[in-house]
Amino acid sequence: MFSKVLIANRGEIAVRIIAACREMGISTVAVHSEADRDSLHTELADEAVCIGPSDSASSYLNVTSVMSAARITGADAIHPGYGFLAENARFAELVGECGLTFIGPSADAIRLMGNKSEARRGFPVILKASSGGGGRGMRLAWDADELQRAYDTAWNEAERAFGDPTLYLEKYLENPRHIEFQVLADSTGRTVHLGERECSIQRRHQKIIEEAPSVALSAELRAEMGRAAVAAARAAKYQNAGTVEFLLAETGGFSFMEMNTRVQVEHPVTEIVTGIDIVKEQLRIAAGDEMTVPKRKQVRPEGHAIEFRINAEDPETFAPSPGRITKLVLPGGPGVRVDTHIYSGYTVPPYYDSLIAKLLVSGRDRDETIVRSRRALSMLKIEGIKTSVALHLRILDSEEFIAGQIDTHFMERFLS
């Protein structure tokens, strides 16, 4: 097992990785920009290294600075988290060339599964950033003229957010659900899926709420989609944690969308319903060990879990709301988990993604989880900035949401 892991990321995912490493007796190194000097991950890690100015291009996307930090601290592995350099094949390759272990799939697997540039014929289509996620570098086009106009905007967004302007086209379905399957694969050749996550509630392709399992999947459909996800990972000779994403049509048919070769923001909902620590499995697999997932035919989820992304933004206009948090009260009680890097007195910087916390709620079934979610959200107090808490409470009162009648256009109807 590794002795010291450098975390090439920030925010709540950096804190999450530190927690997993601490349980496994692994020392950690936090890297941070000047703007993140007081972020919680810098305090919780065993060491912290400033790698550049506030903007991502000069810090978290600066490969030279990240690798220099790993060298001077004596790290033997690097965990990229999600975003930034997480799906950068050249970075994964460089980590290996420098004698360190990249905690993720091989560079070849990232290139293969990340090669999303094979265009599909016909409109409407979506332009997407090959190295990205979170709705950045993404534009919908209904005809050739609109596609041309959308290209420049998406190209610039992708370059700024991920340091890679490469785009690809994807066929657009009008009312699909966004269903993704968590997969794990180790060096023994064993590949398993841990069930699905429902990720259909999105705004401008940015996920807002995720849950597991999906109410739309029968046992038969879940098994079929799970087999497809495992087959995709095996075909790529994939190792480590990854997510295979599908579009599920109203008719019940599904199509492959993409594979994310990293840990997902929403991975905790799967952890909750399966009892499997995905980040610890990533560390074990990267170290060459077998995964500790039970060797049975299928990992069966128990209960239900919902993740609410708490963003520093105006719940009405969705405008970013950086600033100093003057008061923070986190909810607790049965079935409540909060993953975050904020604290009372922390200043949310304006330079990065607006995600400041993930509220995770679980129960014996979806109905109980929704009731607990209302309670947990009402107890969550963040003052000094605006947040999306009020939006989540409104969504929980939606008849469509309560009935599970959701698709990727839910938010458009909800906000109209």
Side-chain angles (χ1 to χ4, degrees), residues 369-396:
T369 304
I370 290 174
V371 171
R372 282 184 173 171
S373 296
R374 290 195 185 98
R375 182 259 296 173
L377 284 164
S378 67
M379 293 172 68
L380 175 58
K381 306 296 182 185
I382 305 174
E383 297 180 4
I385 61 172
K386 295 180 179 180
T387 74
S388 55
V389 170
L391 173 67
H392 289 305
L393 284 167
R394 287 169 50 206
I395 291 173
L396 284 176

Side-chain angles (χ1 to χ4, degrees), residues 24-25 29 41 50 67 70 159 162 215 218 248 261 322 333 370:
M24 299 177 76
V29 178
H41 76 289
C50 183
M67 295 307 302
E159 172 68 24
F162 310 109
V215 299
S218 63
L248 178 64
T261 55
I370 290 174

Side-chain angles (χ1 to χ4, degrees), residues 49 83 122 155 177 234 253 255 309 384:
V49 179
W155 192 98
R177 286 180 181 254
R234 284 177 174 159
S255 59
R309 296 195 187 194

Side-chain angles (χ1 to χ4, degrees), residues 26-184:
I26 302 170
S27 297
T28 53
V29 178
V31 295
H32 63 90
S33 68
E34 291 176 358
D36 274 338
R37 193 175 298 276
D38 295 324
S39 188
L40 189 58
H41 76 289
T42 67
E43 180 178 336
L44 294 178
D46 297 292
E47 300 173 68
V49 179
C50 183
I51 55 172
S54 300
D55 62 290
S56 299
S58 302
S59 53
Y60 297 107
L61 290 171
N62 189 323
V63 173
T64 301
S65 294
V66 172
M67 295 307 302
S68 296
R71 181 176 293 276
I72 65 174
T73 57
D76 51 358
I78 294 180
H79 197 308
Y82 54 73
F84 295 131
L85 298 169
E87 294 183 279
N88 186 315
R90 179 55 189 146
F91 176 65
E93 205 165 50
L94 183 62
V95 170
E97 291 173 358
C98 291
L100 283 72
T101 300
F102 180 78
I103 301 173
S106 67
D108 288 342
I110 294 174
R111 286 194 181 95
L112 180 61
M113 300 312 291
N115 183 12
K116 306 161 187 175
S117 303
E118 181 70 26
R120 296 179 172 92
R121 297 178 183 273
F123 291 93
V125 295
I126 296 177
L127 271 170
K128 287 187 175 182
S130 290
S131 296
R136 287 166 291 179
M138 187 179 296
R139 287 294 183 275
L140 174 64
W142 292 86
D143 55 45
D145 290 339
E146 195 168 19
L147 178 61
Q148 182 63 50
R149 291 193 300 270
Y151 178 83
D152 290 340
T153 303
W155 192 98
N156 288 328
E157 282 187 0
E159 172 68 24
R160 288 195 305 270
F162 310 109
D164 177 9
T166 308
L167 305 173
Y168 69 99
L169 284 176
E170 179 179 280
K171 181 63 180 172
Y172 177 74
L173 301 178
E174 285 207 52
N175 294 298
R177 286 180 181 254
H178 183 149
I179 305 291
E180 61 186 31
F181 274 72
Q182 177 71 58
V183 296
L184 290 173

Side-chain angles (χ1 to χ4, degrees), residues 140-356:
L140 174 64
W142 292 86
D143 55 45
D145 290 339
E146 195 168 19
L147 178 61
Q148 182 63 50
R149 291 193 300 270
Y151 178 83
D152 290 340
T153 303
W155 192 98
N156 288 328
E157 282 187 0
E159 172 68 24
R160 288 195 305 270
F162 310 109
D164 177 9
T166 308
L167 305 173
Y168 69 99
L169 284 176
E170 179 179 280
K171 181 63 180 172
Y172 177 74
L173 301 178
E174 285 207 52
N175 294 298
R177 286 180 181 254
H178 183 149
I179 305 291
E180 61 186 31
F181 274 72
Q182 177 71 58
V183 296
L184 290 173
D186 62 26
S187 59
T188 69
R190 184 167 175 241
T191 305
V192 299
H193 77 79
L194 306 183
E196 83 283 358
R197 295 186 287 257
E198 170 74 70
C199 304
S200 297
I201 298 183
Q202 308 173 9
R203 178 181 176 272
R204 295 182 177 175
H205 307 288
Q206 174 72 56
K207 297 169 187 173
I208 297 175
I209 294 174
E210 304 96 352
E211 56 185 305
S214 170
V215 299
L217 270 61
S218 63
E220 294 74 21
L221 183 55
R222 178 174 294 111
E224 184 181 359
M225 295 179 76
R227 284 193 295 270
V230 168
R234 284 177 174 159
K237 298 180 180 178
Y238 194 87
Q239 289 184 31
N240 216 267
T243 302
V244 181
E245 305 199 0
F246 299 98
L247 291 177
L248 178 64
E250 294 176 285
T251 58
F254 64 91
S255 59
F256 173 80
M257 183 165 58
E258 63 187 17
M259 183 172 187
N260 286 307
T261 55
R262 53 173 167 79
V263 68
Q264 294 277 82
V265 176
E266 58 272 19
H267 75 275
V269 292
T270 299
E271 293 183 325
I272 289 170
V273 298
T274 63
I276 294 167
D277 188 319
I278 293 171
V279 177
K280 288 169 73 171
E281 294 300 334
Q282 283 191 290
L283 291 160
R284 292 188 182 101
I285 293 168
D289 298 336
E290 290 187 51
M291 68 178 91
T292 61
V293 177
K295 291 185 177 180
R296 55 180 186 256
K297 188 174 181 181
Q298 181 183 345
V299 177
R300 298 186 182 278
E302 295 183 6
H304 200 91
I306 302 178
E307 174 179 288
F308 301 89
R309 296 195 187 194
I310 309 302
N311 295 322
E313 62 185 24
D314 188 306
E316 299 293 333
T317 66
F318 300 99
S321 180
R324 185 173 182 272
I325 295 173
T326 57
K327 181 178 181 180
L328 175 65
V329 178
L330 299 178
V336 176
R337 164 180 165 179
V338 181
D339 286 13
T340 188
H341 62 286
I342 64 172
Y343 52 86
S344 184
Y346 173 71
T347 298
V348 179
Y351 310 103
Y352 315 112
D353 187 272
S354 62
L355 180 69
I356 56 172

